């Protein structure tokens, strides 16, 4: 295993799904249900059995719109406000209208959702305005349940293949993708009528404070390949300056998790044991207050549980130490942190791109279509804001159905074989050198400069220096990188995606000359929100080989927002404390 | 530029007495999202080949004999 072999095979399918984490399996399943005769391929860098953000399951749905608790209109309103108004509502409304049906379908797969004594779904309030959090008592079974459905529907699964570039036809429409086997370096060309990108967040962009490249919030396989592939295929990417930054357990870098413990009575405090934020729901505005408190001399910030009854804490532990990020318990044990006695020290995560938690993603409409004909995106990497796990499932379903329908009406598009040759040369260049710089050093350096120059508060001169450093790293990557086995080859391709994302983060952040989304886009020289000039999406795309930025109007709201409601998320700080 | 190797203490440990890779098991290698486990040619047992671990636990959870222990990587312990 791992030695580099030469090989090139071609596969033909109707719908190709790239990424088998959360959105991907649902997209493939729905595509197959829609067109049982069609060839649906699910391509995964890891193994669909245990891949993605939900590799070990999840403790609950963060954004369930359940009848009796909330309406699609209310949810659309809350997300529009949480995202500072920059929101095309149609995809959010579509999600909100369909997600309950998906909950019921998941329930049918054997994934259970918490019910109260009356047998109704037991939805909890964590958001600023409405109630959307639905616990999953057997959340550890999610992946198994999905995998069973994929096997039953005979979806073709290709594990350990990393997609590296999309293939397009003469008019720019999608033709398929190129992938590399992560254990043998053999190439696979996948011709497809439609392609759905579900490759997750760009989670390896900033460097965690521990300095360990893999201690990211996101599953560390998610190196932003989807963003990079969409960019190189000419697709528009939206609001990348609206970074993902999360409040996490210091050093462990996983969620504590206020959404689980909050409904039991836990809350965020400063070192004096005082609350300083109204609401633990993750938004840029909340993160700004979190950051301010850390800087104020009243830090560090903690999650406080030690006022709760021991039995209650036992219930919380039963969730936090068994699903999602189950090594949490081991981390606390090493440090001697018992929730009954001590508060949990929290910190701010490194930056990333993720629409699942904020709003940085490949631009999509309400059918999950990108701006490239035949190319779809769903889940964390698609631009639907605050999408979370149920968003990945629901929009994956939307994408799968639409892509399957379109595929029944079109033919395969021819690609240019020269593109495949060029991609093979790009991928293999580093394997042909005798010595040079290994990918882990290039990745480390890129990510350290992301921290030094791109992390908010954002400063123009710093971001420009960052761009200069990234250009130097690119020179090294293209001319001096060395790769010695197939595993390292995967890492080198990931390092290239990370560098692409770093350059996109700098360009998008420089483009928007205002501050918005709290900490996510806090620009020191432009401290105010400027609705006159910047009530719009910022769009990045590749044109004639160069990165260009442009504005795109926010689609007219379908759910109106009152002037008085617009600033609800700006009022995060507890008054008496401020 | 010659390449040196920097030592690191890997977070994932396999109890070789319990590991049945020599009977054909490859479960932990198959499920690891980061693809960092391998079966050793020397010992015929599973081991952590690359120190690139998300301390996520599928390897430990899915091992049929309970041979795997996931520790928190030292840098963040
Ligand atoms: C620690 C953590 C806790 C969370 N807690 C909650 C919660 O409690 N409730 C909630 O609702 N949401 C939660 N979320 C968010 C939710 O899990 C995600 O929004 C959702 O799972 C994202 O799904 P996805 O399909 O976009 O990405 P993922 O599930 O991450 O899947 C992406 C997949 O793409 C694959 N891939 C990447 N690159 C390539 C490539 N080049 N080629 C082939 N495959 C590739 C990856 O291996 C991976 O399997 C949490 C997320 C994390 C990380
Ligand atoms: S899963 Fe367990 S028994 Fe199987 S190879 Fe891995 S360590 Fe050995
Ligand atoms: S903890 Fe996760 S990343 Fe680490 S070896 Fe086990 S499965 Fe792989």
């Amino acid at each position: 295993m791992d030695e580099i072999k030469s090989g090139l095979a071609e596969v033909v399918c109707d719908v190709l799904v790239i990424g088998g984490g959360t959105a991907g399996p649902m997209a493939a399943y729905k595509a197959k249900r829609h067109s049982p005769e069609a060839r649906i391929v699910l391509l995964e860098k890891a193994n669909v059995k245990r891949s993605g953000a939900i590799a070990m399951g999840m403790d609950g749905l963060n954004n369930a719109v359940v009848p009796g608790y909330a309406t699609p209109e209310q949810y659309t309103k809350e997300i529009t406000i949480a995202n500072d108004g920059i929101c095309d509502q149609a995809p959010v409304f579509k999600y909100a209208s369909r997600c309950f049906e998906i909950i019921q379908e998941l329930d049918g797969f054997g994934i259970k959702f918490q019910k109260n004594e009356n047998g109704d779904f037991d939805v909890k309030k964590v958001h600023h305005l409405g109630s959307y959090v639905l616990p999953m008592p057997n959340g550890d079974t999610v992946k198994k349940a999905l995998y069973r459905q994929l096997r039953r529907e005979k979806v073709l699964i290709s594990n350990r293949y990393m997609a590296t570039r999309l293939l397009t036809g003469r008019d720019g429409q999608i033709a398929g993708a190129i992938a590399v086997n992560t254990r043998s370096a053999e190439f696979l060309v996948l011709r497809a009528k439609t392609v759905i990108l579900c490759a997750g967040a760009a989670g390896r962009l900033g460097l965690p404070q521990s300095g360990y490249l893999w201690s990211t919030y996101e599953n560390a396989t998610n190196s932003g390949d989807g963003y990079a592939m969409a960019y190189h295929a000419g697709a528009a990417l939206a609001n990348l300056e609206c970074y993902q930054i999360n409040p996490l357990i210091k050093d462990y870098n996983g969620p504590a998790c206020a959404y689980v413990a909050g409904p039991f009575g836990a809350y965020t405090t400063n070192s004096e044991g005082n609350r300083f934020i109204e609401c633990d729901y993750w938004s840029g505005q909340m993160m700004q207050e979190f950051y301010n408190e850390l800087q104020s001399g009243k830090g560090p910030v903690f999650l406080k549980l030690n006022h709760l009854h021991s039995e209650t804490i036992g219930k919380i532990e039963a969730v936090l130490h068994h699903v999602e990020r189950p090594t949490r318990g081991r981390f606390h044990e090493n440090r001697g942190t018992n929730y009954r006695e001590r508060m949990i020290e929290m910190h701010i995560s490194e930056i990333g791109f993720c629409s699942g938690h904020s709003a940085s993603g490949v631009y999509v409409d309400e059918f999950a279509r990108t701006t490239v004909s035949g190319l779809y995106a769903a889940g964390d990497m698609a631009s639907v804001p605050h999408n979370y796990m149920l968003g990945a499932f629901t929009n994956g379903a939307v994408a799968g159905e639409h892509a399957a329908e379109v595929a029944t009406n079109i033919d395969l598009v021819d690609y240019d074989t020269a593109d495949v040759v060029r991609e093979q040369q790009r991928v293999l260049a580093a394997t042909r050198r005798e010595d040079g710089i290994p990918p882990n050093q290039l990745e480390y350096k890129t990510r350290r400069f992301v921290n030094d120059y791109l992390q908010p508060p954002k400063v123009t001169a710093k971001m420009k220096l960052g761009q200069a450093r990234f250009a130097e790293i690119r020179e090294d990557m293209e001319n001096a990188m060395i790769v010695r086995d197939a595993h390292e080859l995967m890492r080198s391709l990931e390092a290239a995606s990370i560098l692409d994302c770093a350059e996109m983060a700098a360009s998008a952040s420089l483009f928007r000359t205002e501050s918005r989304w709290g900490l996510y886009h806090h620009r020191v020289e432009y401290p105010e929100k400027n609705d006159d000039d910047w009530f719009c999406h910022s769009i990045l795309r590749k044109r004639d080989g160069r990165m260009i930025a442009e504005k795109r109007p926010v689609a007219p709201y379908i759910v109106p927002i009152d002037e008085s409601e617009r600033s609800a998320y700006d009022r995060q700080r507890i008054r008496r404390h401020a | 530029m010659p390449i040196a190797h920097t030592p690191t203490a890997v977070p994932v440990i396999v109890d070789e007495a319990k590991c049945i890779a020599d009977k054909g098991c490859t479960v932990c290698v198959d499920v690891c999202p980061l693809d960092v486990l391998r079966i050793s040619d020397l010992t015929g047992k599973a081991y952590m080949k690359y120190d690139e671990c998300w301390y996520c636990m599928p390897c430990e959870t899915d091992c049929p004999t309970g041979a795997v222990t996931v520790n928190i990587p030292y840098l963040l312990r």
Side-chain angles (χ1 to χ4, degrees), chain A residues 82 243-249 253 259 268 276-295 301 346-351 357-358 386 388 455-457 516-522 569-570 572-573:
Chain A
Y243 295 162
Q244 163 175 239
I245 305 171
N246 295 332
L248 302 178
I249 301 171
N253 230 17
Y259 294 7
T268 304
F276 62 96
I277 41 174
E278 293 272 1
C279 159
D280 276 320
Y281 181 68
W282 295 358
S283 63
Q285 299 86 331
M286 179 273 211
M287 280 311 299
Q288 183 69 56
E289 294 303 345
F290 199 103
Y291 174 85
N292 292 350
E293 202 70 3
L294 281 174
Q295 300 294 317
V301 168
M346 304 290 289
H347 205 71
I348 285 188
S349 73
E350 68 285 353
I351 68 161
H357 297 81
S358 62
H386 295 231
Y388 288 102
Q455 233 169 205
R516 195 175 286 270
W517 306 295
L519 185 65
Y520 299 163
H521 186 62
H522 173 36
Y569 268 72
D570 294 339
Q572 297 280 339
R573 182 159 280 269

Side-chain angles (χ1 to χ4, degrees), chain A residues 486-548:
Chain A
H487 180 83
E488 202 173 37
L489 184 65
M490 163 171 68
R491 296 291 178 238
S492 74
L493 297 164
E494 292 173 342
S497 297
I498 293 165
L499 186 56
D500 284 344
C501 289
E503 290 184 336
M504 288 193 264
S507 292
S509 295
L510 283 164
F511 182 56
R512 189 181 282 277
T513 49
E514 64 153 359
S515 287
R516 195 175 286 270
W517 306 295
L519 185 65
Y520 299 163
H521 186 62
H522 173 36
R523 273 199 76 171
V524 176
E525 298 108 313
Y526 307 95
E528 303 297 327
K529 198 173 348 189
N530 172 358
D531 277 338
D532 290 342
D533 296 321
W534 287 103
F535 191 81
C536 59
H537 302 287
S538 76
I539 298 286
L540 284 191
R541 67 171 98 224
K542 185 173 172 181
R543 190 171 288 156
D544 304 325
R546 294 194 45 229
M547 194 178 292
I548 57 155

Side-chain angles (χ1 to χ4, degrees), chain A residues 231-541:
Chain A
Y231 171 74
H232 289 294
L237 295 102
N239 304 316
L240 297 181
E241 67 281 13
C242 179
Y243 295 162
Q244 163 175 239
I245 305 171
N246 295 332
L248 302 178
I249 301 171
K250 179 153 185 310
D251 297 334
Y252 181 76
N253 230 17
C257 156
Y259 294 7
V260 172
F264 287 100
Y267 55 88
T268 304
T269 78
N270 58 24
S271 63
E272 295 165 357
N274 291 323
R275 283 180 199 250
F276 62 96
I277 41 174
E278 293 272 1
C279 159
D280 276 320
Y281 181 68
W282 295 358
S283 63
Q285 299 86 331
M286 179 273 211
M287 280 311 299
Q288 183 69 56
E289 294 303 345
F290 199 103
Y291 174 85
N292 292 350
E293 202 70 3
L294 281 174
Q295 300 294 317
S296 73
K298 290 188 188 139
V301 168
F302 296 90
L303 184 70
K304 181 170 162 58
L305 288 82
N306 55 4
H307 57 293
L308 302 177
H309 194 275
S310 177
E311 251 173 54
T312 310
I313 290 182
K315 279 190 205 154
I316 295 171
E317 283 171 341
V319 179
L320 293 186
H321 300 175
H322 292 99
V323 287
E324 192 181 287
R325 298 295 278 134
T327 51
R328 272 181 284 226
R330 289 177 195 183
F331 174 79
H332 291 310
E333 202 182 305
N334 286 329
R335 295 240 170 134
T337 310
N338 183 325
Y339 300 161
R340 289 163 189 80
E341 290 147 20
R342 282 217 253 153
M343 303 195 290
I344 303 169
E345 187 187 355
M346 304 290 289
H347 205 71
I348 285 188
S349 73
E350 68 285 353
I351 68 161
F353 295 152
C354 178
S355 264
H357 297 81
S358 62
S360 28
V362 175
Y363 184 84
V364 293
D365 67 8
E366 66 271 34
F367 300 105
R369 288 181 294 200
T370 70
T371 57
V372 169
S373 172
L375 180 65
Y376 297 74
D380 281 353
M381 62 164 290
S383 66
V384 189
H386 295 231
N387 218 0
Y388 288 102
M389 177 173 50
L390 190 54
F393 283 136
T394 307
N395 294 329
V398 169
E401 286 164 359
H402 203 278
E405 173 62 28
V406 167
T408 56
N409 298 316
I410 58 173
D411 291 324
L412 286 167
V413 171
D414 288 328
Y415 63 89
D416 186 350
T417 47
D419 287 342
V420 175
V421 173
R422 251 193 307 275
E423 178 60 358
Q424 283 181 296
Q425 280 165 353
R426 177 185 81 95
V427 168
L428 295 176
T431 66
R432 301 195 165 123
R433 293 191 186 103
E434 293 294 316
D435 69 18
I437 308 163
N440 63 323
Q441 282 188 303
L442 290 160
E443 175 175 341
Y444 183 91
K445 195 163 172 180
T446 306
R447 294 173 63 187
R448 178 173 68 81
F449 285 140
V450 165
N451 284 17
D452 290 351
Y453 295 123
L454 303 189
Q455 233 169 205
K458 301 181 189 177
V459 178
T460 305
K462 280 193 179 178
M463 291 192 281
K464 290 196 167 155
L465 279 172
Q467 287 180 313
R469 297 289 88 81
F470 297 145
E472 290 157 8
I473 296 173
R474 186 168 294 283
E475 282 272 321
D476 294 338
M477 192 174 275
E478 284 170 5
N479 301 311
M481 181 164 65
I482 179 174
V483 158
R484 293 155 301 174
D485 69 17
H487 180 83
E488 202 173 37
L489 184 65
M490 163 171 68
R491 296 291 178 238
S492 74
L493 297 164
E494 292 173 342
S497 297
I498 293 165
L499 186 56
D500 284 344
C501 289
E503 290 184 336
M504 288 193 264
S507 292
S509 295
L510 283 164
F511 182 56
R512 189 181 282 277
T513 49
E514 64 153 359
S515 287
R516 195 175 286 270
W517 306 295
L519 185 65
Y520 299 163
H521 186 62
H522 173 36
R523 273 199 76 171
V524 176
E525 298 108 313
Y526 307 95
E528 303 297 327
K529 198 173 348 189
N530 172 358
D531 277 338
D532 290 342
D533 296 321
W534 287 103
F535 191 81
C536 59
H537 302 287
S538 76
I539 298 286
L540 284 191
R541 67 171 98 224

Side-chain angles (χ1 to χ4, degrees), chain A residues 160 183 212 252 330 487, chain B residues 30 35 51-52 55 60 62:
Chain A
R160 305 289 173 198
R183 290 170 174 179
Y212 192 58
Y252 181 76
R330 289 177 195 183
H487 180 83
Chain B
D30 294 343
D35 204 14
D51 178 11
E52 304 164 341
Y55 43 103
E60 178 176 322
D62 294 350

Side-chain angles (χ1 to χ4, degrees), chain A residues 18-25 43-46 51-54 58-63 143 161-164 198-201 217-219 221-223 225-226 229 254-255 257 259 324-325 354 356-357 378-381 387-390 392, chain B residues 54:
Chain A
I18 298 176
T22 314
L43 191 86
E44 168 56 54
K45 193 200 250 182
S51 61
I54 61 170
M58 268 299 130
D59 48 46
L61 301 173
N62 286 349
N63 54 344
K143 268 281 172 181
Y161 273 98
M162 172 181 183
T164 67
C198 301
Y217 167 76
E218 293 293 340
N219 186 320
T221 45
N222 292 341
S223 43
D225 308 336
M229 285 188 280
C257 156
Y259 294 7
E324 192 181 287
R325 298 295 278 134
C354 178
H357 297 81
D380 281 353
M381 62 164 290
N387 218 0
Y388 288 102
M389 177 173 50
L390 190 54
Chain B
W54 192 46

